[in-house]
Amino acid sequence: MYVAVFAESVGAVAFRPAAQAHVPAVVGTGAALSSANSWNAATDGVVRLVGPLLGGVLLAWAGFEVLVALDVLSYLVSAVAIACTRKRSRSRDARPGLRDGLKALGEFRLARVLLPLSGVFLMANASLSALLVPFGVQRLGGITQVATVLSALGVGFLGGAVLVRWLDRIELRVTLASAQLMTAAGFVVLFSAEGLGVAMAAAVVVGTFGSVTLIAPQTALQRVAPNEVLGRIAAVFLAVAALATLVGAVAGPWLAESVSLRFAAMAAATVTGLGALVGVVTVPPVMLAANAQTNRRPVMREPSEQRRQRILAVIASRGTVKVSDLASELDVSIVTIRRDVEELAKLGKLRRGHGVARSLTPVEQPSSKRETNGAVALVVPERHAYLYETMNGARQALEEAGMRVVLHIAPQVKGAEKPIVERALAEPVQGLLIAPRWRTHEEELKDDWLADTGVPTVLMERRPAGPLRAMNSVCSDHWYGMYMAVKHLTDLGHRRIVLAARDDSPTARALRKAFKEISADLDDAITVGSSPDTGLVGILRAHRATATILHGDVDALMLVQQLTDAGIRVPRRCSVVAYDDVVAALGSIPLTAIAPPKTEVGRAAAQVLLRQLQSPGRSAERVELLPELKVRSSTERLTVS
């Protein structure tokens, strides 16, 4: 029996963090996550209320063996149901280890703050729960009254599971502190009650807001932590919760025996209240809602027109595609894809079928003639909005030339392009257009196999070096783009400029190098990273910068919000230039932006490939297109020192 209980407990402990990581992978991190957690908590509350009663009835009616068999069956049904759920996206990266999980825990301020706060709350809660039985026997009249109060706690827990869904738009620290204070107040009233009615009302309050205190942090962590390490973070929280519960369960009765039961209860309630006050100060100003996070970089929604162009590109290359396959390949919910397909069908751009979308014109399958000529393979990285625009430009040019396009999406893992290109070249293809991800310069040097694909190949938005230097390539002139950004700011009188750029792409590295060269004569020009934990507002203040350039208009829009929150007016106190122009014009303050000619790069790359196909042996071409400066409201002439 001990072995069986131990095994079941191990499974339950392993299940809880895994379930916390699985839920956001299935429902996403939007409003549905709060609903899912609310339903899970409500179901748990119902089971806690009904389970013991049902178990007793089954034990008396059918016997112990049948009861165990039904319990085992329930686990199997649960396992099958979980196996049938479908993740919204599948990570193809290597699975992180425990060390990576602990490292990730340390990287998130929200997790670091919530871990001790959660432990203190659960320790105090365990102390009070342990004192509830002796209190009910001594003050309320007996074990029946204790059971009644416990039932009231269960009812409150159900109420909290519903309530937390409606608190989704309130700051986490406000929700958490308010719920802890209400829980502490409920315990004070409960352990001061002289009658069963007051005790039951207080127990409902404790259950309601105690439930909110447990569910709200879980929802916030599920939204800010990467899904790959969420299970490990949840496991650490579970271990701390178990330790805190053990300490509280021992400390409460010991303090009651050493001093008094009332003193022990008031001390635990006071600790809960103090934890709420500490949380107000230490918990970051994040929202439970998915659209107001600060610990995770928000993911900007892809413009619907761009997404629909991607849908048309896939359908044009294949003829008929399942809607479910489109949702999986484009990493979009099936509801969104269905809506897009309906709109495109109304516009006469495709035909709808039962669960499929079809091209208006039949897509010819490779015939005996095409066995020789083949098609053009187009390879771009997964979830890369910048290069998707380049892809669409290439596709349009190739289709206008009567070429068939076969699209391949490379996942976000190291070395993903090579096996995909090998599979593409196993088919009858004439040429290859590719935009490798190249997170590092070392990755670029290792991809020397691209120089020997056996078919005419053109690199898009990449400036090859080393063994690939003699390859055909078409890209934006990012040095000139940075030159225009810096010149625009210096013409306005700015001499203290900060560039915030990543270093995980060829474009980012080109921008960093160009800025260092172009800004050499400025008073104070530095380059920093653009990750959320860089603290760019503080850096701008420390360097007394009057202007900044950001690689990525999404990051630039976020910075404008952060500067406004910090009391720094844009552009009066700080001018902002975005390098990229996808959503720059949509901000509350439209951003001045450098717009690389992404679509034109794709079209030019396709034209280079067509020339190579028409004239085999032709010399390799390297084409650079100039970006454009679009001046808007986020920059102005410097008027303050």
Short mmCIF file of all heavy atoms in Angstrom, two decimals, residues 5 66 70 75 95 108 145-146 196 220 255 271 289 348 353 417 443 462 483 496 502 515 570 600:
data_model
loop_
_atom_site.label_atom_id
_atom_site.label_comp_id
_atom_site.label_asym_id
_atom_site.label_seq_id
_atom_site.Cartn_x
_atom_site.Cartn_y
_atom_site.Cartn_z
N VAL A 5 0.77 4.09 -2.90
CA VAL A 5 0.48 5.50 -2.59
C VAL A 5 1.66 6.38 -3.02
O VAL A 5 1.49 7.48 -3.56
CB VAL A 5 0.18 5.68 -1.10
CG1 VAL A 5 0.09 7.16 -0.74
CG2 VAL A 5 -1.13 4.99 -0.75
N VAL A 66 -13.78 -2.46 -6.82
CA VAL A 66 -14.46 -1.73 -7.89
C VAL A 66 -14.09 -0.25 -7.83
O VAL A 66 -13.87 0.40 -8.86
CB VAL A 66 -15.98 -1.92 -7.79
CG1 VAL A 66 -16.70 -1.03 -8.80
CG2 VAL A 66 -16.35 -3.38 -8.00
N LEU A 70 -12.38 1.82 -10.88
CA LEU A 70 -12.95 3.04 -11.46
C LEU A 70 -11.96 4.20 -11.38
O LEU A 70 -11.88 5.04 -12.29
CB LEU A 70 -14.25 3.40 -10.74
CG LEU A 70 -15.44 2.47 -11.00
CD1 LEU A 70 -16.62 2.85 -10.12
CD2 LEU A 70 -15.85 2.54 -12.47
N TYR A 75 -8.08 7.74 -14.52
CA TYR A 75 -6.75 8.19 -14.93
C TYR A 75 -6.52 7.91 -16.42
O TYR A 75 -5.95 8.73 -17.15
CB TYR A 75 -5.67 7.47 -14.11
CG TYR A 75 -5.40 8.11 -12.76
CD1 TYR A 75 -5.84 7.52 -11.59
CD2 TYR A 75 -4.67 9.29 -12.68
CE1 TYR A 75 -5.58 8.09 -10.36
CE2 TYR A 75 -4.41 9.88 -11.45
CZ TYR A 75 -4.87 9.28 -10.28
OH TYR A 75 -4.61 9.85 -9.08
N ARG A 95 15.21 20.34 -26.24
CA ARG A 95 14.54 20.49 -24.95
C ARG A 95 15.53 21.01 -23.91
O ARG A 95 16.63 20.49 -23.78
CB ARG A 95 13.96 19.15 -24.49
CG ARG A 95 12.85 18.64 -25.38
CD ARG A 95 12.33 17.32 -24.86
NE ARG A 95 11.29 16.81 -25.72
CZ ARG A 95 10.01 17.15 -25.63
NH1 ARG A 95 9.64 18.00 -24.70
NH2 ARG A 95 9.12 16.64 -26.44
N PHE A 108 13.44 35.87 -14.93
CA PHE A 108 12.15 36.53 -14.89
C PHE A 108 11.92 37.13 -13.50
O PHE A 108 11.78 36.41 -12.51
CB PHE A 108 11.02 35.55 -15.23
CG PHE A 108 11.04 35.13 -16.67
CD1 PHE A 108 11.58 33.91 -17.04
CD2 PHE A 108 10.55 35.95 -17.65
CE1 PHE A 108 11.62 33.52 -18.36
CE2 PHE A 108 10.59 35.58 -18.98
CZ PHE A 108 11.12 34.37 -19.33
N GLN A 145 -19.47 20.70 12.88
CA GLN A 145 -19.35 22.11 12.54
C GLN A 145 -18.07 22.37 11.72
O GLN A 145 -18.05 23.20 10.82
CB GLN A 145 -19.32 22.96 13.83
CG GLN A 145 -20.68 23.10 14.50
CD GLN A 145 -21.09 21.85 15.26
OE1 GLN A 145 -20.32 20.90 15.38
NE2 GLN A 145 -22.32 21.85 15.77
N VAL A 146 -17.01 21.62 12.05
CA VAL A 146 -15.78 21.75 11.28
C VAL A 146 -16.01 21.35 9.83
O VAL A 146 -15.58 22.02 8.89
CB VAL A 146 -14.66 20.88 11.89
CG1 VAL A 146 -13.43 20.87 10.98
CG2 VAL A 146 -14.28 21.41 13.27
N LEU A 196 -21.69 29.55 14.22
CA LEU A 196 -21.40 28.85 12.98
C LEU A 196 -21.69 29.72 11.76
O LEU A 196 -20.97 29.64 10.75
CB LEU A 196 -22.25 27.57 12.92
CG LEU A 196 -22.02 26.67 11.70
CD1 LEU A 196 -20.56 26.20 11.65
CD2 LEU A 196 -22.96 25.47 11.74
N ALA A 220 -0.35 34.45 -14.63
CA ALA A 220 0.66 35.43 -15.05
C ALA A 220 1.95 34.73 -15.47
O ALA A 220 2.55 35.08 -16.49
CB ALA A 220 0.93 36.42 -13.92
N LEU A 255 2.89 26.81 17.75
CA LEU A 255 2.66 28.13 18.33
C LEU A 255 1.38 28.15 19.16
O LEU A 255 1.32 28.81 20.20
CB LEU A 255 2.59 29.17 17.21
CG LEU A 255 2.64 30.65 17.62
CD1 LEU A 255 3.93 30.94 18.38
CD2 LEU A 255 2.54 31.54 16.40
N VAL A 271 0.89 37.60 9.04
CA VAL A 271 1.92 37.28 8.04
C VAL A 271 1.32 37.36 6.63
O VAL A 271 1.94 37.89 5.70
CB VAL A 271 2.52 35.89 8.31
CG1 VAL A 271 3.38 35.44 7.13
CG2 VAL A 271 3.34 35.91 9.58
N ALA A 289 -4.01 40.19 -18.11
CA ALA A 289 -4.38 40.12 -19.52
C ALA A 289 -3.14 39.98 -20.37
O ALA A 289 -2.08 40.51 -20.07
CB ALA A 289 -5.15 41.39 -19.93
N GLY A 348 -13.15 36.61 -54.32
CA GLY A 348 -12.90 35.89 -55.57
C GLY A 348 -11.46 35.52 -55.80
O GLY A 348 -11.03 35.35 -56.95
N GLY A 353 -13.82 24.79 -50.02
CA GLY A 353 -14.40 23.45 -50.04
C GLY A 353 -14.64 23.00 -48.62
O GLY A 353 -14.49 23.78 -47.66
N GLU A 417 18.08 24.71 -42.40
CA GLU A 417 17.93 24.93 -43.84
C GLU A 417 18.49 23.79 -44.69
O GLU A 417 17.92 23.42 -45.72
CB GLU A 417 18.62 26.24 -44.25
CG GLU A 417 17.86 27.50 -43.86
CD GLU A 417 18.26 28.00 -42.50
OE1 GLU A 417 19.07 27.32 -41.83
OE2 GLU A 417 17.77 29.07 -42.08
N GLU A 443 27.57 30.67 -37.99
CA GLU A 443 26.59 29.90 -38.75
C GLU A 443 26.69 30.22 -40.24
O GLU A 443 26.56 29.34 -41.09
CB GLU A 443 25.17 30.20 -38.24
CG GLU A 443 24.84 29.60 -36.90
CD GLU A 443 23.39 29.82 -36.52
OE1 GLU A 443 22.58 30.16 -37.40
OE2 GLU A 443 23.06 29.68 -35.33
N ARG A 462 20.57 38.92 -47.88
CA ARG A 462 21.79 38.46 -47.24
C ARG A 462 22.98 38.91 -48.09
O ARG A 462 22.96 38.80 -49.32
CB ARG A 462 21.81 36.93 -47.10
CG ARG A 462 20.72 36.38 -46.20
CD ARG A 462 20.97 36.77 -44.76
NE ARG A 462 19.95 36.24 -43.86
CZ ARG A 462 18.95 36.96 -43.33
NH1 ARG A 462 18.83 38.25 -43.67
NH2 ARG A 462 18.11 36.41 -42.50
N TYR A 483 22.92 55.29 -42.36
CA TYR A 483 23.43 56.63 -42.66
C TYR A 483 22.28 57.65 -42.71
O TYR A 483 22.38 58.74 -42.14
CB TYR A 483 24.19 56.61 -43.98
CG TYR A 483 24.54 57.99 -44.50
CD1 TYR A 483 25.61 58.70 -43.97
CD2 TYR A 483 23.78 58.58 -45.52
CE1 TYR A 483 25.92 59.97 -44.45
CE2 TYR A 483 24.09 59.84 -46.00
CZ TYR A 483 25.16 60.54 -45.46
OH TYR A 483 25.46 61.80 -45.92
N ARG A 496 23.86 63.17 -29.26
CA ARG A 496 23.94 62.08 -28.27
C ARG A 496 22.87 61.05 -28.65
O ARG A 496 21.70 61.21 -28.31
CB ARG A 496 23.74 62.60 -26.86
CG ARG A 496 24.61 63.81 -26.52
CD ARG A 496 24.41 64.27 -25.09
NE ARG A 496 25.03 63.36 -24.15
CZ ARG A 496 26.31 63.40 -23.78
NH1 ARG A 496 27.11 64.34 -24.27
NH2 ARG A 496 26.80 62.54 -22.91
N ARG A 502 19.55 44.15 -31.90
CA ARG A 502 19.94 42.79 -31.56
C ARG A 502 21.25 42.46 -32.27
O ARG A 502 21.77 43.26 -33.03
CB ARG A 502 18.84 41.81 -31.98
CG ARG A 502 17.46 42.16 -31.45
CD ARG A 502 16.46 41.05 -31.79
NE ARG A 502 16.44 40.79 -33.21
CZ ARG A 502 15.69 41.47 -34.08
NH1 ARG A 502 14.94 42.47 -33.66
NH2 ARG A 502 15.69 41.15 -35.36
N PHE A 515 26.55 51.80 -37.71
CA PHE A 515 26.36 52.88 -36.74
C PHE A 515 27.68 53.25 -36.08
O PHE A 515 27.98 54.44 -35.86
CB PHE A 515 25.35 52.44 -35.68
CG PHE A 515 25.07 53.49 -34.63
CD1 PHE A 515 24.26 54.57 -34.91
CD2 PHE A 515 25.64 53.39 -33.36
CE1 PHE A 515 24.01 55.54 -33.95
CE2 PHE A 515 25.39 54.35 -32.40
CZ PHE A 515 24.57 55.43 -32.69
N VAL A 570 8.05 62.30 -26.09
CA VAL A 570 8.56 62.01 -27.44
C VAL A 570 7.76 62.85 -28.43
O VAL A 570 6.52 62.83 -28.40
CB VAL A 570 8.41 60.51 -27.78
CG1 VAL A 570 8.85 60.24 -29.21
CG2 VAL A 570 9.21 59.66 -26.81
N GLU A 600 10.67 44.63 -52.84
CA GLU A 600 11.49 44.83 -54.04
C GLU A 600 12.71 43.92 -54.03
O GLU A 600 13.18 43.48 -55.09
CB GLU A 600 11.94 46.30 -54.13
CG GLU A 600 10.82 47.28 -54.45
CD GLU A 600 9.91 47.56 -53.26
OE1 GLU A 600 10.26 47.13 -52.14
OE2 GLU A 600 8.86 48.20 -53.44
#
